[in-house]
Amino acid sequence: MAKEVLYLKIANIIQEQIFSETLKIGDKLPSIRTLQKLHNVSLNTIKQSFLELESKSLIESRPKSGFYISKTSNRKLSIPSMNKLKLSEKQTSSDDLITKVFNSVNDKSITRFSLGVPDPSLLPLAKLNKGVVKAVRNLEESGAGYEPVQGSINLRRNLAKWSFVLEGKLTEDDFVTTSGAINAIYNCLMAVTKRGDTIAIESPAYFGIIQMAQTMGLNIIELPTHPTTGVDLDALKKVIHKISVCCFMSNFSNPLGSLMPDENKEELVKLLTHHDIPLIEDDLYGNLFFGTSRPKPCKYYDEAGIVMWCGSVSKTLAPGYRVGWVAPGKFKEKIIRQKMVQTVSSPSLYQEVIADFLEHGRYDHHLRNFRNTLYTNSLHFQRTIEDHFPENTKISQPQGGSFLWLELDKRIDTALLYDTAIRQKIGFVPGRIFTQHDQYNNCMRLNFALEWKEKVALDLKRLGQLIKNSI
Amino acid sequence: MAKEVLYLKIANIIQEQIFSETLKIGDKLPSIRTLQKLHNVSLNTIKQSFLELESKSLIESRPKSGFYISKTSNRKLSIPSMNKLKLSEKQTSSDDLITKVFNSVNDKSITRFSLGVPDPSLLPLAKLNKGVVKAVRNLEESGAGYEPVQGSINLRRNLAKWSFVLEGKLTEDDFVTTSGAINAIYNCLMAVTKRGDTIAIESPAYFGIIQMAQTMGLNIIELPTHPTTGVDLDALKKVIHKISVCCFMSNFSNPLGSLMPDENKEELVKLLTHHDIPLIEDDLYGNLFFGTSRPKPCKYYDEAGIVMWCGSVSKTLAPGYRVGWVAPGKFKEKIIRQKMVQTVSSPSLYQEVIADFLEHGRYDHHLRNFRNTLYTNSLHFQRTIEDHFPENTKISQPQGGSFLWLELDKRIDTALLYDTAIRQKIGFVPGRIFTQHDQYNNCMRLNFALEWKEKVALDLKRLGQLIKNSI
């Protein structure tokens, strides 16, 4: 048999197994060497088979892990649309809706597509507990004393070492630890704004930043944001003279899952540097990439020190630990001052646990597993939604993170749908929460950082049915 | 021998032992029953002897503990003077001085009369560590999940039960937990003020509240404060129409150690209620009383919900835990909102440790010992200062807390003295830090929450000598 035919034959066998769902989305393929022995052919033949399947987007490689079944190119559903700049539209609060959604997130009888944090089953809780017991023994004065305002030196040192993506540009002295990334952002905003200033954010944007800016008396400009490539820089340029500060999630934004291309990040930093506008970069999903490597943050392009790079372990490891940090560039002294007047210092214990996790590679190990789970889940979710939601559903195509953003038929009001769904013990977040304007009423955010099991699949299908029933 | 003569004879023996320093200040006397057996007399005779010694202020009783050697009535030094209202004087920052003092507080080679927290040797660290290990085992999801914004229900319940001084007026629902008392105060100020508002504080006042108010852009009015009875209500009445909020330490203020009499507290709350001015009551020293019972907070008299009662374990048990709370009265929803936008939630672990400490009486047990140590220390300090500082030194007479306030000869500049003292490894806090005006330059705060030992006594004497040398 000719070599060309041979590799195609093997590719067809695998393709058949995928179409018959013998091999399911997210499954790992046998290694090249295993298949070589199985089919008694050369390594190159198997490699050609894989290339063929890859070209059809049926499989994809993940670094240091192997090849996995994917089907992302065969999407039946289109991606959500991008909204226009709404400078004159009146701003309204969605506080009541936020309160309603929040009140249900601690109810464990609900399938919580609404949550913004990973399901505990996906976290290495036993290892974390061991870390706590170890840290208690090692802490000076048992952690009962104050640590320096800037935060645990051990954590800051490990953060600097571990921030490979910054290529050694940061040292322990460049970090300030905070009570989660949200507290880092709060400190940044307190440090560089005053009541009446204007902040530019993505749209849709994480509701926490909207509530925070409103509470501080800031004006908010929501910039059009592309579901794939993130904030629209042309729109930003149009309003740049009104803006005191920007707060963006450049990598896998919440809720869209968008990823700014490197050239956009570079252009953004240049633009803001030129206008001397600080950028608060909320990069707490940056390590949850589905691709081959961690995307760069805007901080990478920051030469003037205008980028305040915020991170945490809240979306990856331990939300309740409230361990976050910021590399605040030229605003460091202001951030330390803010932290001092607000709370003097942070508790050391959990910072030491995280430092130890970083130092001994346990965090990276966990992240590798967690990313694989998230990616596989995202495929399961997309496939289930394709099969069980209305055909005019639009769905984001995140390349990382843990959220899907759905745009439904115009006639659907997801705030109303929420009440129906929650009665059936299914939670999601209505789109209206992610904006200060009267929009995204037919949108919803789904969290896929859950354990993918029968019950979850079933509830996702039931949610699709509820939507169909509402049209 | 006649009974009258008998009791006097025994009293004289003890008096002789005190004057010869066989019995030292702070020493505990043998029990009445022990002395009865020793002298082979009736219980009543010993009781009469003790009454005689008490009438001379040579000894004093402490509830449930016995009789101790005191000599507080024989004070050679007078109490510090009270300053006048300084409305027109210009405000200047003492940030550089604060930074200088703070930079030395982590240097353990220094005798830190400068610290605002108890020496670790006075804390039950082993018991706390046990509590941490227990809490790690019991926490839901190992504490990795978010807890409700309002804070640990377990801690709030135990705080409500334990707040006997409020006579059952507070429930678990009335508390919000925070990152230390300073964070409680910060949340309160953020909730009820905006830039340009005016806050009334004591003078001298804890420098943290001055820095906080300055950072927030508030105007500060420093009210004359009596070293014994606290803030001057007549002065407050004169400026009440300018004021948006008050922040006072009603019990054992920092740095004066003053204690507002109950009638002043009641009058204050009535006055502020009438003008609808919120009172932030920083009551974190209230449990460190030297008298017979815990003094009431202003919150006790609060019927309109205008008092935000703040507390923590930072000055009594574990500064680094950053566990604090506030009972914010009618401002509760605003405080919860502030906490939500700033950090979403607190870490649970240490809150559970403290809740457990409260529930099983370990906190009360510790407080009893700690109060005895502090009181004895305060007598040691006062005596040493009387004997080794210049005769024109004025010294506060705290009835609780852990600070002494000294007013020195007018020619002494304690900011300069600080540099000299720190070179000799002796730390204190210069008075200038506790005000926004150019005053208290000849004052200092001394922390006596240290282990009273040879080295500490010697360094206190050396500090006295340095002062003598500076005149």
Side-chain angles (χ1 to χ4, degrees):
Chain A
M1 204 180 279
K3 205 177 177 185
E4 297 91 320
V5 189
L6 197 55
Y7 86 82
L8 276 179
K9 193 184 160 203
I10 294 169
N12 280 336
I13 291 169
I14 296 173
Q15 180 174 309
E16 202 57 39
Q17 289 177 316
I18 293 171
F19 287 168
S20 70
E21 293 200 38
T22 306
L23 286 169
K24 292 194 179 65
I25 286 175
D27 279 357
K28 189 179 173 180
L29 278 178
S31 73
I32 292 178
R33 211 163 281 279
T34 308
L35 287 173
Q36 177 219 352
K37 286 177 189 155
L38 185 72
H39 293 287
N40 196 20
V41 296
S42 72
L43 276 177
N44 260 342
T45 302
I46 299 297
K47 281 183 188 165
Q48 272 188 287
S49 309
F50 279 21
L51 277 174
E52 173 68 19
L53 291 164
E54 237 183 336
S55 74
K56 291 181 175 174
S57 295
L58 290 171
I59 67 167
E60 58 169 19
S61 79
R62 293 189 216 163
K64 293 182 187 160
S65 180
F67 283 81
Y68 288 78
I69 310 303
S70 73
K71 238 186 113 183
T72 48
S73 80
N74 291 6
R75 284 167 57 94
K76 286 194 289 188
L77 306 176
S78 42
I79 62 168
S81 44
M82 190 162 94
N83 271 20
K84 299 211 176 83
L85 205 54
K86 294 171 190 289
L87 290 181
S88 55
E89 279 197 32
K90 83 161 186 253
Q91 300 170 10
T92 55
S93 165
S94 57
D95 277 2
D96 293 346
L97 192 55
I98 292 176
T99 304
K100 190 157 73 174
V101 174
F102 255 75
N103 281 344
S104 71
V105 292
N106 280 322
D107 181 346
K108 301 229 165 106
S109 70
I110 291 170
T111 299
R112 291 175 289 174
F113 300 125
S114 46
L115 274 190
V117 293
D119 192 81
S121 64
L122 307 181
L123 301 176
L125 298 182
K127 280 187 193 169
L128 287 171
N129 282 354
K130 270 190 196 167
V132 172
V133 174
K134 180 180 170 191
V136 168
R137 288 204 198 99
N138 293 345
L139 271 176
E140 196 181 357
E141 291 176 12
S142 304
Y146 286 131
E147 66 171 30
V149 182
Q150 198 173 339
S152 154
I153 179 76
N154 194 15
L155 176 57
R156 289 188 282 119
R157 188 175 300 143
N158 275 290
L159 283 172
K161 277 199 273 182
W162 177 78
S163 299
F164 302 115
V165 70
L166 267 293
E167 297 178 359
K169 291 178 185 179
L170 296 180
T171 72
E172 62 199 44
D173 206 40
D174 294 315
F175 286 92
V176 180
T177 73
T178 59
S179 175
I182 192 75
N183 185 244
I185 297 170
Y186 180 80
N187 285 330
C188 293
L189 277 180
M190 287 300 289
V192 302
T193 68
K194 57 183 190 307
R195 190 168 284 269
D197 282 352
T198 298
I199 180 175
I201 60 173
E202 289 133 345
S203 185
Y206 168 51
F207 53 87
I209 185 74
I210 298 176
Q211 280 197 312
M212 189 188 289
Q214 285 171 340
T215 303
M216 289 179 173
L218 303 178
N219 302 314
I220 303 169
I221 292 183
E222 296 183 23
L223 296 172
T225 305
H226 191 274
T228 309
T229 58
V231 72
D232 179 358
L233 296 184
D234 290 332
L236 173 61
K237 284 173 200 162
K238 278 184 206 153
V239 296
I240 194 113
H241 294 288
K242 303 182 180 198
I243 287 173
S244 306
V245 62
C246 293
C247 183
F248 299 144
M249 302 177 90
S250 46
N251 298 322
F252 320 124
S253 65
N254 175 1
L256 280 180
S258 60
L259 170 64
M260 284 179 78
D262 280 354
E263 54 272 24
N264 287 26
K265 288 170 181 161
E266 191 168 4
E267 187 185 347
L268 172 65
V269 173
K270 266 190 192 156
L271 179 71
L272 295 181
T273 301
H274 177 72
H275 292 273
D276 199 21
I277 297 172
L279 170 62
I280 302 171
E281 183 176 30
D282 184 4
D283 195 19
L284 80 175
Y285 294 101
N287 291 299
L288 301 181
F289 53 92
F290 301 158
T292 53
S293 64
R294 193 211 194 280
K296 287 188 176 66
C298 294
K299 183 73 182 171
Y300 179 85
Y301 302 100
D302 178 33
E303 287 171 13
I306 61 152
V307 179
M308 296 179 264
W309 185 43
C310 305
S312 81
V313 295
S314 302
K315 304 304 178 184
T316 52
L317 190 61
Y321 278 22
R322 312 311 298 123
V323 172
W325 54 82
V326 54
K330 68 177 179 179
F331 304 102
K332 193 180 93 176
E333 292 310 318
K334 286 188 174 188
I335 298 293
I336 291 176
R337 166 89 180 198
Q338 281 296 329
K339 186 174 171 188
M340 189 170 74
V341 303
Q342 285 172 35
T343 185
V344 182
S345 73
S346 309
S348 301
L349 182 62
Y350 282 140
Q351 293 182 69
E352 296 301 322
V353 175
I354 300 303
D356 198 62
F357 240 68
L358 286 169
E359 188 168 3
H360 295 99
R362 284 196 287 277
Y363 191 40
D364 282 321
H365 175 77
H366 162 67
L367 282 174
R368 275 193 296 276
N369 293 333
F370 189 49
R371 280 193 295 262
N372 276 336
T373 304
L374 286 180
Y375 178 61
T376 307
N377 279 4
S378 78
L379 298 177
H380 284 308
F381 269 65
Q382 287 178 43
R383 166 120 186 201
T384 307
I385 290 166
E386 281 176 4
D387 291 348
H388 296 275
F389 279 49
E391 287 201 3
N392 64 348
T393 301
K394 295 178 180 177
I395 178 172
S396 62
Q397 192 167 12
Q399 297 161 68
S402 59
F403 298 122
L404 285 171
W405 176 256
L406 269 58
E407 185 181 334
L408 307 174
D409 188 285
K410 284 276 176 216
R411 289 165 291 177
I412 305 266
D413 181 342
T414 50
L416 295 177
L417 182 70
Y418 178 83
D419 295 332
T420 313
I422 211 73
R423 277 196 296 273
Q424 303 209 21
K425 303 286 185 191
I426 302 171
F428 63 85
V429 186
R432 178 63 184 80
I433 281 178
F434 300 93
T435 175
Q436 61 180 341
H437 301 297
D438 184 25
Q439 59 183 342
Y440 306 133
N441 293 303
N442 59 328
C443 298
M444 63 166 63
R445 188 192 77 178
L446 297 179
N447 166 50
F448 54 77
L450 301 170
E451 201 182 352
W452 180 253
K453 51 188 181 187
E454 198 66 28
K455 173 85 169 80
V456 169
L458 191 67
D459 280 341
L460 191 55
K461 291 175 193 171
R462 286 169 63 214
L463 181 57
Q465 192 57 50
L466 286 179
I467 295 166
K468 285 181 179 166
N469 295 348
S470 315
I471 301 175
Chain B
M1 204 182 282
K3 205 179 180 185
E4 295 90 323
V5 187
L6 196 56
Y7 86 83
L8 276 179
K9 192 184 162 203
I10 295 169
N12 281 336
I13 292 169
I14 296 173
Q15 182 175 306
E16 202 57 37
Q17 290 177 314
I18 294 173
F19 286 168
S20 70
E21 293 202 37
T22 307
L23 285 170
K24 292 195 178 66
I25 286 177
D27 278 357
K28 190 179 172 179
L29 279 176
S31 73
I32 292 178
R33 211 163 281 277
T34 307
L35 287 172
Q36 177 219 352
K37 284 178 189 153
L38 184 71
H39 294 284
N40 195 21
V41 295
S42 73
L43 277 177
N44 260 343
T45 301
I46 300 297
K47 281 182 189 167
Q48 272 187 288
S49 309
F50 279 22
L51 276 174
E52 174 67 19
L53 292 165
E54 238 185 334
S55 74
K56 293 181 176 176
S57 294
L58 291 171
I59 66 167
E60 60 168 20
S61 79
R62 292 189 216 162
K64 293 185 189 160
S65 179
F67 283 81
Y68 288 78
I69 311 303
S70 75
K71 239 186 112 183
T72 49
S73 79
N74 293 6
R75 283 167 59 92
K76 287 193 286 187
L77 306 176
S78 42
I79 62 167
S81 45
M82 190 161 95
N83 270 21
K84 300 213 176 80
L85 205 54
K86 294 172 190 289
L87 291 182
S88 55
E89 280 197 30
K90 82 161 185 253
Q91 301 171 11
T92 55
S93 166
S94 57
D95 277 2
D96 293 345
L97 192 53
I98 292 176
T99 304
K100 189 158 73 174
V101 175
F102 256 75
N103 281 344
S104 72
V105 293
N106 280 322
D107 181 347
K108 301 230 164 104
S109 71
I110 291 169
T111 298
R112 291 176 288 175
F113 301 125
S114 47
L115 273 190
V117 294
D119 192 80
S121 64
L122 307 180
L123 301 175
L125 298 182
K127 280 187 192 170
L128 286 171
N129 282 353
K130 272 191 195 167
V132 172
V133 174
K134 179 179 170 191
V136 169
R137 288 205 197 98
N138 292 344
L139 271 177
E140 196 181 356
E141 292 176 12
S142 304
Y146 286 131
E147 65 170 32
V149 182
Q150 198 173 341
S152 153
I153 179 76
N154 194 14
L155 177 57
R156 290 189 281 119
R157 188 174 299 142
N158 276 290
L159 284 172
K161 277 199 273 183
W162 178 77
S163 299
F164 302 115
V165 70
L166 267 294
E167 297 179 359
K169 289 178 185 178
L170 296 180
T171 72
E172 62 199 44
D173 206 41
D174 293 316
F175 286 92
V176 180
T177 73
T178 59
S179 176
I182 191 73
N183 185 244
I185 296 169
Y186 180 80
N187 285 330
C188 293
L189 277 181
M190 286 300 290
V192 302
T193 67
K194 56 183 190 307
R195 189 168 285 269
D197 282 353
T198 297
I199 180 175
I201 60 174
E202 288 133 345
S203 184
Y206 168 50
F207 53 86
I209 184 74
I210 297 176
Q211 282 197 312
M212 188 188 291
Q214 285 171 340
T215 304
M216 289 179 173
L218 303 178
N219 302 315
I220 303 170
I221 293 183
E222 296 184 22
L223 297 172
T225 305
H226 191 275
T228 310
T229 58
V231 72
D232 179 359
L233 296 184
D234 289 333
L236 174 61
K237 283 173 201 163
K238 278 183 204 151
V239 296
I240 192 112
H241 294 290
K242 302 182 181 199
I243 287 173
S244 305
V245 62
C246 293
C247 182
F248 299 145
M249 301 177 91
S250 46
N251 299 321
F252 319 125
S253 65
N254 175 1
L256 281 180
S258 59
L259 170 64
M260 285 178 77
D262 280 354
E263 55 272 24
N264 288 26
K265 289 172 181 160
E266 189 167 6
E267 187 185 346
L268 172 66
V269 174
K270 264 191 192 155
L271 178 71
L272 296 181
T273 301
H274 177 72
H275 291 274
D276 199 20
I277 297 171
L279 169 61
I280 301 171
E281 183 177 30
D282 184 5
D283 195 18
L284 81 173
Y285 294 100
N287 290 299
L288 301 182
F289 52 92
F290 301 159
T292 52
S293 64
R294 193 213 194 280
K296 287 189 177 66
C298 293
K299 183 73 182 172
Y300 179 84
Y301 301 101
D302 178 32
E303 286 171 13
I306 61 151
V307 179
M308 295 180 265
W309 186 43
C310 304
S312 81
V313 296
S314 302
K315 303 304 177 184
T316 52
L317 189 62
Y321 278 22
R322 312 312 296 123
V323 172
W325 54 83
V326 52
K330 67 177 181 180
F331 304 102
K332 193 179 91 175
E333 292 310 319
K334 285 189 176 189
I335 298 293
I336 291 176
R337 167 89 179 198
Q338 282 297 329
K339 186 175 171 189
M340 189 169 76
V341 303
Q342 286 172 34
T343 184
V344 182
S345 72
S346 309
S348 301
L349 182 62
Y350 283 139
Q351 293 182 70
E352 297 300 322
V353 175
I354 300 303
D356 198 62
F357 240 68
L358 286 169
E359 188 167 3
H360 295 99
R362 285 195 287 275
Y363 191 39
D364 282 321
H365 176 76
H366 162 68
L367 282 174
R368 274 192 298 275
N369 293 333
F370 188 49
R371 280 194 296 261
N372 276 336
T373 304
L374 287 180
Y375 178 60
T376 307
N377 279 5
S378 79
L379 297 178
H380 284 307
F381 269 66
Q382 286 179 44
R383 165 119 185 200
T384 306
I385 290 165
E386 281 174 3
D387 292 348
H388 296 274
F389 280 49
E391 286 201 2
N392 64 347
T393 302
K394 296 179 180 178
I395 178 172
S396 62
Q397 192 167 13
Q399 298 162 68
S402 59
F403 298 121
L404 284 172
W405 178 255
L406 268 59
E407 185 181 333
L408 307 174
D409 187 284
K410 284 277 176 214
R411 290 166 290 177
I412 306 267
D413 181 341
T414 51
L416 294 177
L417 182 70
Y418 178 84
D419 294 331
T420 312
I422 210 72
R423 276 197 295 274
Q424 304 209 20
K425 302 287 185 190
I426 301 172
F428 64 83
V429 187
R432 179 63 183 82
I433 280 179
F434 301 94
T435 176
Q436 62 181 340
H437 301 298
D438 184 26
Q439 58 182 343
Y440 307 135
N441 293 304
N442 60 328
C443 298
M444 64 167 61
R445 187 192 76 178
L446 296 179
N447 167 49
F448 54 77
L450 300 171
E451 201 182 352
W452 180 254
K453 51 188 181 188
E454 197 66 27
K455 172 86 169 78
V456 169
L458 190 68
D459 280 341
L460 192 54
K461 291 175 194 170
R462 287 169 63 213
L463 181 58
Q465 193 56 49
L466 287 180
I467 293 167
K468 285 180 180 167
N469 295 348
S470 316
I471 301 174

